[in-house]
Amino acid sequence: MTEFELIDLVGAQAAGARPDVVLGIGDDAAVLEVPQGAQLVACVDTMVEGVHFLPDTAPADLGWKALAVNLSDLAAMGATPTWALLALTLPSGDAEFVRGFAQGFRELARQYSVALVGGDTTQGPLTVTVTALGTVECGTAISRAGARVGDRVFVTGTLGEGAGALTLLRQGGTAPSAALLARMRRPQPRVAAGRALRRIAGACIDVSDGLVADLGHICTMSHVAAELDLEALPVSPALAAAFDRTQCQRLALAGGDDYELCFTVAPAHIADVTRALADAGCGATPIGRIVEGSGVRVLDAQGHEVTIGNPGWEHFAT
Ligand code: ADP
Ligand code: MG
Protein backbone atom coordinates (compact mmCIF):
# COMPACT_ATOMS: atom_id res chain seq x y z
CA MET A 1 0.00 0.00 0.00
CA THR A 2 1.09 3.61 -0.52
CA GLU A 3 1.51 6.16 2.25
CA PHE A 4 -1.90 7.73 1.62
CA GLU A 5 -3.69 4.41 1.41
CA LEU A 6 -2.10 3.46 4.74
CA ILE A 7 -3.17 6.75 6.33
CA ASP A 8 -6.72 6.21 5.09
CA LEU A 9 -6.66 2.69 6.49
CA VAL A 10 -5.45 3.86 9.93
CA GLY A 11 -8.01 6.65 9.93
CA ALA A 12 -10.87 4.35 8.93
CA GLN A 13 -9.93 1.71 11.52
CA ALA A 14 -8.71 3.72 14.48
CA ALA A 15 -9.84 7.35 14.45
CA GLY A 16 -12.84 7.27 16.76
CA ALA A 17 -14.92 10.37 17.34
CA ARG A 18 -15.23 13.08 19.98
CA PRO A 19 -17.25 16.30 19.86
CA ASP A 20 -14.15 18.29 20.95
CA VAL A 21 -12.25 17.36 17.75
CA VAL A 22 -12.76 20.42 15.51
CA LEU A 23 -10.40 19.02 12.85
CA GLY A 24 -8.90 15.55 13.01
CA ILE A 25 -6.98 13.35 10.56
CA GLY A 26 -6.67 14.87 7.09
CA ASP A 27 -5.63 18.47 7.61
CA ASP A 28 -2.12 19.81 8.28
CA ALA A 29 -2.72 19.66 12.02
CA ALA A 30 -5.53 18.79 14.39
CA VAL A 31 -7.66 21.46 16.04
CA LEU A 32 -8.94 20.49 19.48
CA GLU A 33 -11.26 22.16 21.94
CA VAL A 34 -9.76 22.27 25.46
CA PRO A 35 -12.53 22.69 28.06
CA GLN A 36 -12.71 25.91 30.11
CA GLY A 37 -10.89 25.57 33.40
CA ALA A 38 -8.83 22.62 32.21
CA GLN A 39 -5.11 22.22 31.58
CA LEU A 40 -3.75 20.18 28.66
CA VAL A 41 -1.53 17.24 29.69
CA ALA A 42 0.78 15.85 26.98
CA CYS A 43 3.22 12.94 26.69
CA VAL A 44 4.93 10.86 24.01
CA ASP A 45 6.53 7.41 24.00
CA THR A 46 8.40 5.54 21.27
CA MET A 47 8.53 1.77 20.85
CA VAL A 48 11.31 0.30 18.71
CA GLU A 49 11.26 -3.28 17.45
CA GLY A 50 13.88 -5.37 19.25
CA VAL A 51 14.22 -2.79 22.03
CA HIS A 52 10.69 -2.37 23.41
CA PHE A 53 8.97 -5.35 21.83
CA LEU A 54 9.92 -8.73 20.40
CA PRO A 55 10.03 -8.99 16.58
CA ASP A 56 7.20 -11.57 16.56
CA THR A 57 4.76 -9.37 18.54
CA ALA A 58 1.21 -9.54 17.14
CA PRO A 59 0.30 -6.25 15.41
CA ALA A 60 -2.88 -5.84 17.50
CA ASP A 61 -0.92 -6.28 20.75
CA LEU A 62 1.57 -3.68 19.56
CA GLY A 63 -1.22 -1.22 18.73
CA TRP A 64 -2.74 -1.72 22.16
CA LYS A 65 0.54 -1.37 24.01
CA ALA A 66 1.78 1.69 22.11
CA LEU A 67 -1.31 3.53 23.32
CA ALA A 68 -1.37 1.87 26.77
CA VAL A 69 2.11 3.06 27.78
CA ASN A 70 1.07 6.62 26.97
CA LEU A 71 -2.29 6.42 28.75
CA SER A 72 -0.29 5.11 31.71
CA ASP A 73 1.77 8.33 31.72
CA LEU A 74 -1.42 10.40 31.63
CA ALA A 75 -2.84 8.23 34.44
CA ALA A 76 0.20 9.00 36.59
CA MET A 77 -0.65 12.70 36.26
CA GLY A 78 -4.29 12.15 37.26
CA ALA A 79 -5.34 13.26 33.76
CA THR A 80 -8.30 12.15 31.65
CA PRO A 81 -7.08 10.96 28.23
CA THR A 82 -8.80 12.59 25.27
CA TRP A 83 -6.72 12.57 22.04
CA ALA A 84 -3.74 10.77 20.50
CA LEU A 85 -1.35 11.18 17.55
CA LEU A 86 0.40 8.23 15.94
CA ALA A 87 3.74 8.27 14.10
CA LEU A 88 4.24 4.94 12.36
CA THR A 89 7.49 3.93 10.70
CA LEU A 90 7.02 0.71 8.74
CA PRO A 91 9.50 -1.41 6.77
CA SER A 92 6.86 -1.95 4.05
CA GLY A 93 3.30 -0.94 3.17
CA ASP A 94 1.92 -4.05 4.86
CA ALA A 95 -1.88 -3.58 5.00
CA GLU A 96 -2.40 -6.65 7.17
CA PHE A 97 0.01 -5.31 9.79
CA VAL A 98 -1.60 -1.86 9.76
CA ARG A 99 -5.11 -3.31 10.02
CA GLY A 100 -4.11 -5.43 13.04
CA PHE A 101 -2.22 -2.60 14.65
CA ALA A 102 -5.13 -0.18 14.20
CA GLN A 103 -7.56 -2.74 15.63
CA GLY A 104 -5.56 -3.20 18.85
CA PHE A 105 -5.03 0.55 19.15
CA ARG A 106 -8.73 1.20 18.63
CA GLU A 107 -9.78 -1.44 21.17
CA LEU A 108 -8.00 0.41 23.97
CA ALA A 109 -8.81 3.89 22.62
CA ARG A 110 -12.51 3.02 22.70
CA GLN A 111 -12.30 2.01 26.38
CA TYR A 112 -11.20 5.55 27.24
CA SER A 113 -12.99 7.49 24.47
CA VAL A 114 -9.65 8.59 23.02
CA ALA A 115 -9.80 9.96 19.45
CA LEU A 116 -6.86 9.51 17.09
CA VAL A 117 -6.52 12.97 15.56
CA GLY A 118 -3.36 12.80 13.47
CA GLY A 119 0.06 11.33 12.95
CA ASP A 120 2.75 10.59 10.43
CA THR A 121 3.49 7.56 8.26
CA THR A 122 7.02 6.85 7.04
CA GLN A 123 9.17 3.99 5.78
CA GLY A 124 12.02 2.57 7.85
CA PRO A 125 12.74 0.10 10.70
CA LEU A 126 9.51 -0.70 12.60
CA THR A 127 9.03 2.09 15.14
CA VAL A 128 5.83 3.33 16.75
CA THR A 129 5.51 6.70 18.45
CA VAL A 130 2.29 7.73 20.14
CA THR A 131 1.59 11.17 21.56
CA ALA A 132 -1.24 11.19 24.06
CA LEU A 133 -3.13 14.27 25.18
CA GLY A 134 -5.47 14.62 28.13
CA THR A 135 -6.91 17.19 30.46
CA VAL A 136 -7.05 17.91 34.18
CA GLU A 137 -8.96 20.52 36.13
CA CYS A 138 -6.54 23.44 36.56
CA GLY A 139 -3.97 22.80 39.26
CA THR A 140 -4.94 19.21 40.04
CA ALA A 141 -2.27 17.27 38.10
CA ILE A 142 -0.18 14.97 40.32
CA SER A 143 3.55 15.52 39.80
CA ARG A 144 6.63 13.56 40.86
CA ALA A 145 7.72 16.40 43.13
CA GLY A 146 5.08 16.26 45.86
CA ALA A 147 6.44 13.52 48.18
CA ARG A 148 7.11 14.65 51.79
CA VAL A 149 8.94 13.02 54.71
CA GLY A 150 6.42 10.96 56.68
CA ASP A 151 4.29 10.02 53.63
CA ARG A 152 3.43 6.39 52.98
CA VAL A 153 4.33 4.83 49.64
CA PHE A 154 1.66 2.80 47.83
CA VAL A 155 1.49 0.84 44.60
CA THR A 156 -1.63 -0.21 42.67
CA GLY A 157 -2.27 -3.79 41.56
CA THR A 158 0.57 -6.29 41.47
CA LEU A 159 4.16 -6.08 40.24
CA GLY A 160 6.53 -8.13 38.10
CA GLU A 161 4.21 -10.06 35.78
CA GLY A 162 5.13 -8.36 32.50
CA ALA A 163 8.83 -8.80 33.21
CA GLY A 164 8.15 -12.34 34.40
CA ALA A 165 6.51 -13.23 31.09
CA LEU A 166 9.40 -11.73 29.13
CA THR A 167 11.94 -13.60 31.28
CA LEU A 168 10.23 -16.94 30.56
CA LEU A 169 9.98 -16.21 26.82
CA ARG A 170 13.68 -15.31 26.69
CA GLN A 171 14.66 -18.45 28.60
CA GLY A 172 12.70 -20.55 26.09
CA GLY A 173 11.86 -23.23 28.67
CA THR A 174 8.46 -23.28 30.41
CA ALA A 175 6.02 -21.05 28.51
CA PRO A 176 4.51 -18.18 30.51
CA SER A 177 0.90 -18.65 31.67
CA ALA A 178 -1.92 -16.79 29.91
CA ALA A 179 -2.21 -14.46 32.91
CA LEU A 180 1.46 -13.44 32.70
CA LEU A 181 1.34 -13.06 28.92
CA ALA A 182 -1.73 -10.84 29.10
CA ARG A 183 0.07 -8.48 31.46
CA MET A 184 2.99 -8.23 29.05
CA ARG A 185 0.95 -7.88 25.87
CA ARG A 186 -2.07 -5.90 27.00
CA PRO A 187 -1.19 -3.78 30.04
CA GLN A 188 -4.18 -1.90 31.50
CA PRO A 189 -3.30 1.74 32.16
CA ARG A 190 -4.53 2.79 35.62
CA VAL A 191 -6.49 5.76 34.32
CA ALA A 192 -9.39 5.55 36.81
CA ALA A 193 -6.96 5.11 39.73
CA GLY A 194 -4.89 8.12 38.68
CA ARG A 195 -7.98 10.31 38.44
CA ALA A 196 -9.25 9.09 41.81
CA LEU A 197 -5.91 9.93 43.46
CA ARG A 198 -6.02 13.65 42.61
CA ARG A 199 -6.03 15.61 45.90
CA ILE A 200 -5.05 12.41 47.77
CA ALA A 201 -1.62 11.47 46.38
CA GLY A 202 1.25 13.89 46.95
CA ALA A 203 3.37 12.42 44.16
CA CYS A 204 2.71 9.75 41.55
CA ILE A 205 4.61 7.90 38.80
CA ASP A 206 3.76 4.95 36.59
CA VAL A 207 6.03 1.94 36.99
CA SER A 208 7.46 1.36 33.54
CA ASP A 209 11.20 1.00 34.21
CA GLY A 210 10.98 -0.89 37.52
CA LEU A 211 9.65 0.08 40.96
CA VAL A 212 13.00 1.04 42.52
CA ALA A 213 14.06 3.10 39.50
CA ASP A 214 10.70 4.87 39.17
CA LEU A 215 10.25 5.55 42.89
CA GLY A 216 13.81 6.89 42.68
CA HIS A 217 12.54 9.54 40.25
CA ILE A 218 9.92 10.65 42.79
CA CYS A 219 12.67 10.86 45.44
CA THR A 220 14.96 12.93 43.21
CA MET A 221 12.21 15.35 42.19
CA SER A 222 10.89 15.65 45.76
CA HIS A 223 14.34 15.84 47.46
CA VAL A 224 13.57 12.91 49.78
CA ALA A 225 14.46 9.24 50.20
CA ALA A 226 12.21 6.16 50.32
CA GLU A 227 12.28 2.87 52.19
CA LEU A 228 10.52 -0.14 50.64
CA ASP A 229 9.42 -3.18 52.67
CA LEU A 230 10.44 -6.26 50.69
CA GLU A 231 7.75 -8.42 52.30
CA ALA A 232 4.99 -5.94 51.45
CA LEU A 233 5.46 -5.98 47.66
CA PRO A 234 2.24 -7.19 45.99
CA VAL A 235 2.91 -10.29 43.89
CA SER A 236 0.14 -12.06 41.95
CA PRO A 237 -0.61 -15.79 42.27
CA ALA A 238 0.35 -16.09 38.57
CA LEU A 239 3.86 -14.76 39.23
CA ALA A 240 4.26 -16.80 42.42
CA ALA A 241 3.34 -19.96 40.48
CA ALA A 242 6.13 -19.35 37.93
CA PHE A 243 9.04 -18.10 40.05
CA ASP A 244 10.49 -18.68 43.51
CA ARG A 245 10.09 -16.06 46.23
CA THR A 246 13.42 -14.31 45.63
CA GLN A 247 12.88 -14.15 41.86
CA CYS A 248 9.38 -12.72 42.40
CA GLN A 249 10.81 -10.02 44.65
CA ARG A 250 13.49 -9.13 42.10
CA LEU A 251 10.93 -8.92 39.31
CA ALA A 252 8.65 -6.78 41.49
CA LEU A 253 11.49 -4.40 42.41
CA ALA A 254 13.29 -4.07 39.11
CA GLY A 255 11.39 -5.84 36.33
CA GLY A 256 9.63 -2.90 34.73
CA ASP A 257 6.75 -2.96 32.24
CA ASP A 258 4.23 -3.02 35.12
CA TYR A 259 2.21 0.12 34.31
CA GLU A 260 0.99 0.25 37.89
CA LEU A 261 0.97 3.57 39.75
CA CYS A 262 3.41 4.19 42.60
CA PHE A 263 2.26 7.11 44.75
CA THR A 264 2.83 8.80 48.08
CA VAL A 265 0.15 9.80 50.59
CA ALA A 266 0.40 12.08 53.63
CA PRO A 267 -0.76 10.47 56.93
CA ALA A 268 -3.96 12.59 56.97
CA HIS A 269 -5.11 11.10 53.62
CA ILE A 270 -4.19 7.43 54.10
CA ALA A 271 -7.72 6.51 55.16
CA ASP A 272 -9.05 8.00 51.89
CA VAL A 273 -7.03 5.73 49.57
CA THR A 274 -9.20 2.61 49.78
CA ARG A 275 -12.43 4.57 49.31
CA ALA A 276 -11.01 6.57 46.41
CA LEU A 277 -9.97 3.39 44.58
CA ALA A 278 -13.24 1.52 45.26
CA ASP A 279 -14.40 1.97 41.64
CA ALA A 280 -10.96 2.14 40.00
CA GLY A 281 -10.63 -1.54 39.10
CA CYS A 282 -7.56 -2.07 41.26
CA GLY A 283 -6.54 -1.81 44.88
CA ALA A 284 -3.36 -0.32 46.31
CA THR A 285 -0.87 -1.76 48.77
CA PRO A 286 1.24 0.23 51.26
CA ILE A 287 4.84 -0.78 50.49
CA GLY A 288 7.03 1.74 52.31
CA ARG A 289 7.59 5.28 53.49
CA ILE A 290 9.24 8.57 52.59
CA VAL A 291 12.20 9.53 54.81
CA GLU A 292 14.90 12.18 54.79
CA GLY A 293 17.88 11.77 52.49
CA SER A 294 18.15 10.53 48.94
CA GLY A 295 17.66 7.29 47.02
CA VAL A 296 15.56 4.17 47.58
CA ARG A 297 16.47 1.51 50.18
CA VAL A 298 14.86 -1.94 50.33
CA LEU A 299 14.39 -3.44 53.80
CA ASP A 300 13.78 -7.07 54.78
CA ALA A 301 11.36 -8.19 57.51
CA GLN A 302 14.01 -7.46 60.17
CA GLY A 303 14.52 -3.94 58.82
CA HIS A 304 17.94 -4.78 57.36
CA GLU A 305 18.82 -3.26 54.01
CA VAL A 306 18.99 -5.72 51.13
CA THR A 307 20.99 -4.95 48.02
CA ILE A 308 19.40 -5.50 44.65
CA GLY A 309 21.58 -5.61 41.57
CA ASN A 310 20.26 -3.70 38.59
CA PRO A 311 17.47 -1.40 39.84
CA GLY A 312 15.70 -1.06 36.51
CA TRP A 313 15.73 -0.49 32.80
CA GLU A 314 17.77 2.37 31.39
CA HIS A 315 18.71 3.16 27.77
CA PHE A 316 22.38 3.97 27.11
CA ALA A 317 23.39 2.37 30.47
CA THR A 318 26.83 0.76 30.23
P1 ADP B 1 1.91 16.42 6.15
O1 ADP B 1 2.59 16.15 4.83
O2 ADP B 1 1.26 17.77 6.25
O3 ADP B 1 2.75 16.05 7.32
P2 ADP B 1 0.71 13.87 5.99
O4 ADP B 1 0.54 13.57 4.54
O5 ADP B 1 1.87 13.29 6.71
O6 ADP B 1 0.64 15.43 6.18
O7 ADP B 1 -0.60 13.43 6.75
C1 ADP B 1 -1.88 13.70 6.23
C2 ADP B 1 -2.88 13.63 7.35
O8 ADP B 1 -2.93 12.30 7.84
C3 ADP B 1 -2.53 14.51 8.55
O9 ADP B 1 -3.75 15.00 9.09
C4 ADP B 1 -1.90 13.56 9.50
O10 ADP B 1 -2.09 13.96 10.84
C5 ADP B 1 -2.63 12.26 9.20
N1 ADP B 1 -1.80 11.05 9.45
C6 ADP B 1 -0.68 10.67 8.80
N2 ADP B 1 -0.21 9.51 9.30
C7 ADP B 1 -1.05 9.15 10.27
C8 ADP B 1 -1.11 8.05 11.19
N3 ADP B 1 -0.19 7.08 11.20
N4 ADP B 1 -2.13 8.03 12.08
C9 ADP B 1 -3.04 9.00 12.12
N5 ADP B 1 -3.06 10.05 11.28
C10 ADP B 1 -2.07 10.14 10.38
MG1 MG C 1 3.54 14.07 7.66
Side-chain angles (χ1 to χ4, degrees):
M1 282 190 132
T2 67
E3 177 187 340
F4 295 106
E5 288 169 339
L6 290 169
I7 294 172
D8 285 346
L9 182 57
V10 172
Q13 303 267 310
R18 288 179 61 95
D20 51 16
V21 179
V22 182
L23 281 175
I25 294 174
D27 220 300
D28 289 308
V31 179
L32 308 165
E33 198 80 51
V34 180
Q36 286 268 329
Q39 289 171 323
L40 187 63
V41 183
C43 62
V44 62
D45 252 315
T46 293
M47 293 176 60
V48 179
E49 184 179 50
V51 179
H52 300 93
F53 59 94
L54 301 170
D56 62 353
T57 301
D61 290 340
L62 189 57
W64 172 290
K65 194 161 177 178
L67 180 60
V69 301
N70 279 282
L71 298 192
S72 179
D73 281 324
L74 292 183
M77 305 305 291
T80 302
T82 46
W83 313 296
L85 296 119
L86 167 63
L88 263 182
T89 302
L90 304 167
S92 71
D94 179 348
E96 199 187 329
F97 175 91
V98 169
R99 209 170 281 121
F101 180 94
Q103 184 222 315
F105 186 99
R106 183 75 202 120
E107 228 178 292
L108 181 60
R110 210 186 293 267
Q111 276 188 24
Y112 293 103
S113 302
V114 170
L116 179 66
V117 296
D120 200 20
T121 306
T122 52
Q123 189 164 21
L126 183 57
T127 304
V128 181
T129 300
V130 172
T131 300
L133 302 168
T135 60
V136 287
E137 245 173 86
C138 277
T140 64
I142 315 168
S143 81
R144 297 178 177 184
R148 300 290 175 262
V149 172
D151 288 358
R152 294 233 69 189
V153 178
F154 286 79
V155 72
T156 59
T158 54
L159 296 166
E161 288 131 83
L166 183 62
T167 302
L168 294 176
L169 288 178
R170 286 210 171 122
Q171 285 171 354
T174 318
S177 64
L180 291 185
L181 274 178
R183 290 274 293 186
M184 183 184 99
R185 291 176 176 165
R186 300 258 173 154
Q188 274 293 345
R190 297 301 190 189
V191 172
R195 283 174 47 75
L197 290 168
R198 286 170 303 159
R199 301 192 175 88
I200 293 175
C204 187
I205 192 167
D206 71 316
V207 183
S208 53
D209 295 336
L211 177 66
V212 170
D214 287 319
L215 179 55
H217 297 317
I218 285 184
C219 289
T220 303
M221 299 283 281
S222 301
H223 308 289
V224 294
E227 290 176 351
L228 285 176
D229 300 322
L230 191 59
E231 300 301 327
L233 299 176
V235 166
S236 70
L239 194 70
F243 294 93
D244 71 28
R245 190 183 170 76
T246 307
Q247 289 171 319
C248 285
Q249 289 171 340
R250 277 194 65 87
L251 288 164
L253 286 169
D257 238 14
D258 291 305
Y259 307 103
E260 297 293 349
L261 299 180
C262 176
F263 58 97
T264 66
V265 182
H269 289 302
I270 288 172
D272 301 332
V273 171
T274 308
R275 188 172 35 77
L277 295 183
D279 299 321
C282 63
T285 308
I287 55 171
R289 64 208 68 78
I290 298 296
V291 296
E292 281 176 28
S294 64
V296 177
R297 300 194 306 141
V298 182
L299 307 180
D300 67 15
Q302 286 71 47
H304 298 135
E305 186 170 358
V306 295
T307 50
I308 64 155
N310 177 11
W313 175 257
E314 201 178 334
H315 291 270
F316 305 113
T318 46

mmCIF file with all atom_site columns, all heavy atoms in Angstrom, residues 3 119-121, ligand 2:
data_model
loop_
_atom_site.group_PDB
_atom_site.id
_atom_site.type_symbol
_atom_site.label_atom_id
_atom_site.label_alt_id
_atom_site.label_comp_id
_atom_site.label_asym_id
_atom_site.label_entity_id
_atom_site.label_seq_id
_atom_site.pdbx_PDB_ins_code
_atom_site.Cartn_x
_atom_site.Cartn_y
_atom_site.Cartn_z
_atom_site.occupancy
_atom_site.B_iso_or_equiv
_atom_site.pdbx_formal_charge
_atom_site.auth_seq_id
_atom_site.auth_comp_id
_atom_site.auth_asym_id
_atom_site.auth_atom_id
_atom_site.pdbx_PDB_model_num
ATOM   1  N  N   . GLU A 1 3   ? 1.634  5.384  1.012  1.00 0.00 ? 3   GLU A N   1
ATOM   2  C  CA  . GLU A 1 3   ? 1.507  6.159  2.249  1.00 0.00 ? 3   GLU A CA  1
ATOM   3  C  C   . GLU A 1 3   ? 0.060  6.617  2.473  1.00 0.00 ? 3   GLU A C   1
ATOM   4  O  O   . GLU A 1 3   ? -0.491 6.466  3.559  1.00 0.00 ? 3   GLU A O   1
ATOM   5  C  CB  . GLU A 1 3   ? 2.453  7.369  2.188  1.00 0.00 ? 3   GLU A CB  1
ATOM   6  C  CG  . GLU A 1 3   ? 2.337  8.280  3.403  1.00 0.00 ? 3   GLU A CG  1
ATOM   7  C  CD  . GLU A 1 3   ? 3.153  9.563  3.260  1.00 0.00 ? 3   GLU A CD  1
ATOM   8  O  OE1 . GLU A 1 3   ? 4.074  9.597  2.428  1.00 0.00 ? 3   GLU A OE1 1
ATOM   9  O  OE2 . GLU A 1 3   ? 2.845  10.523 3.977  1.00 0.00 ? 3   GLU A OE2 1
ATOM   10 N  N   . GLY A 1 119 ? -1.134 12.146 12.838 1.00 0.00 ? 119 GLY A N   1
ATOM   11 C  CA  . GLY A 1 119 ? 0.059  11.325 12.953 1.00 0.00 ? 119 GLY A CA  1
ATOM   12 C  C   . GLY A 1 119 ? 0.965  11.530 11.766 1.00 0.00 ? 119 GLY A C   1
ATOM   13 O  O   . GLY A 1 119 ? 0.893  12.544 11.060 1.00 0.00 ? 119 GLY A O   1
ATOM   14 N  N   . ASP A 1 120 ? 1.817  10.544 11.539 1.00 0.00 ? 120 ASP A N   1
ATOM   15 C  CA  . ASP A 1 120 ? 2.748  10.591 10.426 1.00 0.00 ? 120 ASP A CA  1
ATOM   16 C  C   . ASP A 1 120 ? 3.042  9.155  10.024 1.00 0.00 ? 120 ASP A C   1
ATOM   17 O  O   . ASP A 1 120 ? 3.058  8.256  10.878 1.00 0.00 ? 120 ASP A O   1
ATOM   18 C  CB  . ASP A 1 120 ? 4.026  11.319 10.877 1.00 0.00 ? 120 ASP A CB  1
ATOM   19 C  CG  . ASP A 1 120 ? 4.824  11.835 9.690  1.00 0.00 ? 120 ASP A CG  1
ATOM   20 O  OD1 . ASP A 1 120 ? 4.252  11.987 8.594  1.00 0.00 ? 120 ASP A OD1 1
ATOM   21 O  OD2 . ASP A 1 120 ? 6.030  12.077 9.863  1.00 0.00 ? 120 ASP A OD2 1
ATOM   22 N  N   . THR A 1 121 ? 3.246  8.913  8.746  1.00 0.00 ? 121 THR A N   1
ATOM   23 C  CA  . THR A 1 121 ? 3.493  7.558  8.259  1.00 0.00 ? 121 THR A CA  1
ATOM   24 C  C   . THR A 1 121 ? 4.731  7.587  7.375  1.00 0.00 ? 121 THR A C   1
ATOM   25 O  O   . THR A 1 121 ? 4.762  8.324  6.386  1.00 0.00 ? 121 THR A O   1
ATOM   26 C  CB  . THR A 1 121 ? 2.262  7.047  7.478  1.00 0.00 ? 121 THR A CB  1
ATOM   27 O  OG1 . THR A 1 121 ? 1.107  7.178  8.316  1.00 0.00 ? 121 THR A OG1 1
ATOM   28 C  CG2 . THR A 1 121 ? 2.422  5.592  7.085  1.00 0.00 ? 121 THR A CG2 1
HETATM 29 MG MG  . MG  B 2 .   ? 3.537  14.067 7.660  1.00 0.00 ? 2   MG  B MG  1
#
